[in-house]
Amino acid sequence: MTNITLKQLRYFDALARHGHFGRAADACAISQPAISMRIKELEEELGTPLVERGARQVRLTAFGEDFVTKAREILRAVDELGDLARASQGRIAGRLRIGVIPTIAPYLLPRIVGRLSALHAGLDIHVRESLTSKLLTELHDGKLDTAIVALPVSEPALTEVALFDESFVLVRPGADRDKPVPDRDGLREMRLLLLEEGHCFRDQALSFCNIQSAMPRETLDGSSLSTLVQMVGSGIGVTLIPEMAVPVETRATDVDIARFGAPEPKRTIGMIWRKSSPLAPQLREISEVVRDVARLARTVAA
Amino acid sequence: MTNITLKQLRYFDALARHGHFGRAADACAISQPAISMRIKELEEELGTPLVERGARQVRLTAFGEDFVTKAREILRAVDELGDLARASQGRIAGRLRIGVIPTIAPYLLPRIVGRLSALHAGLDIHVRESLTSKLLTELHDGKLDTAIVALPVSEPALTEVALFDESFVLVRPGADRDKPVPDRDGLREMRLLLLEEGHCFRDQALSFCNIQSAMPRETLDGSSLSTLVQMVGSGIGVTLIPEMAVPVETRATDVDIARFGAPEPKRTIGMIWRKSSPLAPQLREISEVVRDVARLARTVAA
DNA sequence: CGGGGCGATAATTTGGGGTTATGACAAACA
DNA sequence: TGTTTGTCATAACCCCAAATTATCGCCCCG
């Protein structure tokens, strides 16, 4: 393990440049004895002289020549470290790992990624679609920088900002078009198709109907909103979907979309990140962008 | 002009390695506050955080990851400055860190160390025995000056010189002494004991028998050639060992050693070092010595 | 031989970088 | 829900490394 310091290298670089202790010292804004001592010390550590102190001039030894080129490479590399910092500083750039729940991802993510990429050229976005519980774990483990989930998550270590509220709408077979829209109690009597266990959207829908999740119910579970809507289209039952999913999911299926009267079921979608994350300022800024994108997406949908 | 110091980089390297301020401080033989302060200072100079301080763990930021690789390059370059000094004096002296694979080390290393120490009084030899993959990593990281492994390694940044070829011989229970020597196909039918995954010698033996490593095979894996030979002695199966290992490993066990007919299995042992190493000329000279030593060892064995 | 330029050495000061002790806070625990 | 524990930050202090100024020694030159 060497004890060479960057100061020694800087002084030696200056000395090699000027061929003169006094002027090198000036260049380094130090006194002449200081540089003399540092160079001597460096030579002792290396066990070999670097400069030949002539009567009227100092000249590098052969080894000193080799040494100074290597030393300059190092000094340059160190200076570039500062640039590296400046390059990646402040601005939104580099890798951003974002997790989104499956009942949001297909409808919002393409727009988010598009907008963010357009706004921030140097941004390298990695997307992960997964259930809330898994997203939270990955957030904690540092596998994700942020996530978009339904609030609240109520984790003290996480910051959560609300993005928007979204209503749930009823999806029923096209044939039911003219029937009155059921209320939450009426809904409980119908054959309600839901996502499988683990999706927060399932719990949110159940809670609207005042049904205990644990209660054994005869429901047919679909694995994606698409599947659910397809099944509704074949007359198997009814389902709820977030309104943002309406344009995409009901495009090619004969189903009827009906809004509920008050109290309208809805959930709050938000963005979360670790309070300790150094990206926090950037993430807050990003959350503004996401909110904009979402508002746009929802006005288009409505 | 940056004020970054090598100490800061060394400490940060340690912190990145350990992911823990306290342990990193231990590794640097300083107190925990010292490293905390230095890292904080570094972050202030860079104007950007390097690590995310979680309650239970310290994690590098994306920028920290970039930074640490650059920093390590610099630290290695600085360490090489010391080598440069020694090399420029022409002599072979100072610290020499040499890595050797486990299927070579016991049979060759004592002689190598003995000879080199005798030839070069000022030489301080450090030996490391490990698998090829680990040796290559340590070579790149500047933890080793050179390594003796099976060629080829085909790394563009490394110089490789061949030292010698060594044949593999069959080790079978003493009772099989009078049976004919199997060929590579016959070998496939026998119960072949091999080193565990990761040893290059395992792969070399398998490739001789034309067996895919991935292929699920019923083999009993030993962790050293000694163990393998002992197991063969108890009649469990057969194995291959490099001929250099014969005198040491078969001394006290009732086993039969048989050479294969053509095509005889063999491998090439060579010495490797970083092309950028300032010790390159000395290492080449050392490789001549090692080659001599190996030739001597093998004629004794034969 | 005396003077001036230059680097080395000596004596002294100062602050960077270390230490120990302690605080703050989140996570784990009971 | 307190309590304990692990972990990093902060505070107060200390010391030696590395400056500074002053001076010396030396060689070349006039």
Side-chain angles (χ1 to χ4, degrees):
Chain A
M1 160 88 162
T2 65
N3 280 332
I4 296 174
T5 68
L6 286 184
K7 251 179 206 170
Q8 290 171 328
L9 298 187
R10 290 222 161 82
Y11 293 174
F12 180 57
D13 174 33
L15 179 61
R17 261 194 179 62
H18 294 94
H20 187 287
F21 280 77
R23 281 188 283 278
D26 281 352
C28 299
I30 55 169
S31 65
Q32 171 264 312
I35 201 170
S36 283
M37 291 188 297
R38 266 355 45 209
I39 298 294
K40 198 178 87 161
E41 178 185 276
L42 184 56
E43 289 176 322
E44 273 164 12
E45 272 164 7
L46 294 170
T48 259
L50 288 164
V51 292
E52 186 184 325
R53 284 110 167 131
R56 221 62 183 177
Q57 59 185 338
V58 291
R59 177 178 310 140
L60 296 193
T61 62
F63 169 63
E65 293 284 0
D66 291 349
F67 190 87
V68 79
T69 61
K70 295 275 184 190
R72 283 178 179 145
E73 285 171 18
I74 290 172
L75 293 173
R76 193 174 41 79
V78 171
D79 288 344
E80 278 174 3
L81 284 181
D83 302 341
L84 184 67
R86 232 161 297 127
S88 73
Q89 190 179 39
R91 294 196 311 285
I92 295 177
R95 177 198 58 187
L96 178 74
R97 296 159 305 177
I98 180 168
V100 187
I101 54 175
T103 48
I104 294 285
Y107 320 113
L108 202 51
L109 213 41
R111 293 163 186 267
I112 293 176
V113 173
R115 178 75 78 90
L116 284 178
S117 301
L119 286 177
H120 306 285
L123 196 58
D124 173 24
I125 304 179
H126 294 231
V127 167
R128 176 121 180 67
E129 179 178 329
S130 203
L131 302 182
T132 301
S133 61
K134 195 154 191 181
L135 292 180
L136 291 180
T137 309
E138 297 189 340
L139 208 50
H140 275 122
D141 292 351
K143 304 250 173 63
L144 285 178
D145 298 307
T146 182
I148 295 176
V149 299
L151 299 188
V153 293
S154 303
E155 296 247 353
L158 298 181
T159 298
E160 45 188 81
V161 304
L163 294 172
F164 55 88
D165 284 2
E166 70 172 352
S167 304
F168 303 162
V169 298
L170 178 67
V171 185
R172 50 184 181 176
D176 296 359
R177 202 177 312 275
D178 298 325
K179 295 188 186 167
V181 176
D183 61 4
R184 53 205 296 175
D185 297 314
L187 205 54
R188 226 178 311 175
E189 308 307 315
M190 312 177 75
R191 188 165 188 185
L192 183 61
L193 308 180
L194 291 176
L195 294 180
E196 61 223 0
E197 202 73 49
H199 286 270
C200 58
F201 184 71
R202 173 194 169 96
D203 304 327
Q204 288 143 6
L206 286 174
S207 109
F208 170 64
C209 309
N210 261 320
I211 300 172
Q212 303 303 323
S213 174
M215 232 190 214
R217 305 185 63 256
E218 186 260 339
T219 62
L220 245 166
D221 298 339
S223 59
S224 78
L225 294 182
S226 287
T227 312
L228 289 183
V229 173
Q230 293 308 314
M231 292 169 76
V232 170
S234 353
I236 295 177
V238 306
T239 191
L240 300 182
I241 65 173
E243 58 178 344
M244 217 182 341
V246 169
V248 172
E249 299 302 352
T250 64
R251 195 180 299 145
T253 315
D254 177 29
V255 293
D256 177 53
I257 303 300
R259 297 190 75 96
F260 291 96
E264 199 174 30
K266 61 189 174 71
R267 63 176 178 177
T268 303
I269 299 300
M271 206 168 119
I272 56 176
W273 55 82
R274 291 186 302 280
K275 281 181 179 157
S276 66
S277 171
L279 292 177
Q282 281 81 358
L283 288 170
R284 191 167 292 277
E285 197 180 322
I286 285 173
S287 74
E288 307 288 340
V289 175
V290 173
R291 182 176 297 137
D292 278 358
V293 169
R295 185 173 46 232
L296 197 68
R298 289 164 61 244
T299 53
V300 167
Chain B
M1 160 84 163
T2 66
N3 281 331
I4 296 174
T5 68
L6 288 183
K7 256 181 200 165
Q8 289 171 329
L9 298 187
R10 290 224 162 81
Y11 294 173
F12 180 57
D13 173 32
L15 179 61
R17 264 195 175 59
H18 293 93
H20 187 287
F21 280 76
R23 282 188 280 280
D26 282 350
C28 299
I30 56 169
S31 65
Q32 172 262 313
I35 201 170
S36 281
M37 291 188 296
R38 235 85 320 267
I39 298 294
K40 196 176 83 153
E41 178 184 277
L42 184 57
E43 287 175 322
E44 272 164 12
E45 273 163 7
L46 294 170
T48 228
L50 289 165
V51 293
E52 180 184 334
R53 287 120 167 116
R56 219 67 182 175
Q57 59 189 332
V58 171
R59 198 178 4 253
L60 295 194
T61 62
F63 169 63
E65 294 282 1
D66 291 349
F67 190 86
V68 79
T69 63
K70 298 271 185 195
R72 283 177 179 147
E73 286 170 17
I74 290 173
L75 293 174
R76 216 196 55 196
V78 171
D79 287 344
E80 279 183 357
L81 284 181
D83 298 341
L84 184 67
R86 270 185 284 125
S88 80
Q89 297 169 342
R91 308 190 349 270
I92 295 176
R95 178 198 57 187
L96 178 73
R97 297 160 304 176
I98 179 169
V100 187
I101 54 176
T103 48
I104 294 284
Y107 321 113
L108 202 51
L109 214 41
R111 293 163 186 267
I112 293 177
V113 173
R115 178 74 78 89
L116 283 178
S117 301
L119 285 177
H120 306 285
L123 195 59
D124 173 26
I125 304 178
H126 293 230
V127 167
R128 176 122 180 66
E129 180 178 326
S130 203
L131 301 183
T132 302
S133 60
K134 195 153 192 185
L135 292 180
L136 290 179
T137 309
E138 298 191 338
L139 207 50
H140 276 121
D141 292 351
K143 301 253 173 63
L144 285 178
D145 299 306
T146 182
I148 296 177
V149 299
L151 299 187
V153 294
S154 305
E155 297 247 354
L158 298 180
T159 299
E160 44 187 85
V161 303
L163 293 172
F164 56 88
D165 285 3
E166 70 172 352
S167 304
F168 304 163
V169 297
L170 178 68
V171 184
R172 51 184 179 177
D176 295 359
R177 203 175 312 275
D178 298 324
K179 294 187 187 169
V181 176
D183 61 4
R184 54 206 294 175
D185 297 313
L187 206 54
R188 229 177 308 173
E189 309 305 317
M190 312 178 75
R191 187 163 188 187
L192 183 60
L193 309 179
L194 290 177
L195 294 180
E196 62 222 1
E197 204 73 49
H199 287 269
C200 59
F201 185 70
R202 173 194 170 93
D203 303 326
Q204 288 143 5
L206 286 173
S207 107
F208 169 64
C209 309
N210 260 318
I211 299 172
Q212 305 301 324
S213 175
M215 228 190 215
R217 306 185 63 254
E218 185 259 338
T219 61
L220 247 167
D221 297 339
S223 59
S224 77
L225 293 183
S226 289
T227 312
L228 289 184
V229 172
Q230 294 306 315
M231 292 169 78
V232 170
S234 348
I236 295 176
V238 305
T239 191
L240 300 182
I241 65 175
E243 58 178 343
M244 217 182 340
V246 169
V248 173
E249 300 300 353
T250 65
R251 197 180 299 144
T253 316
D254 177 29
V255 293
D256 177 52
I257 303 300
R259 297 189 76 96
F260 292 94
E264 199 174 31
K266 61 191 174 68
R267 64 177 178 177
T268 302
I269 299 301
M271 206 168 120
I272 57 178
W273 56 82
R274 292 186 302 281
K275 282 183 178 154
S276 68
S277 170
L279 294 177
Q282 281 76 11
L283 288 169
R284 192 167 292 277
E285 197 179 324
I286 286 173
S287 75
E288 307 288 341
V289 176
V290 173
R291 183 176 297 136
D292 278 357
V293 169
R295 186 174 45 232
L296 197 67
R298 288 164 61 242
T299 52
V300 167

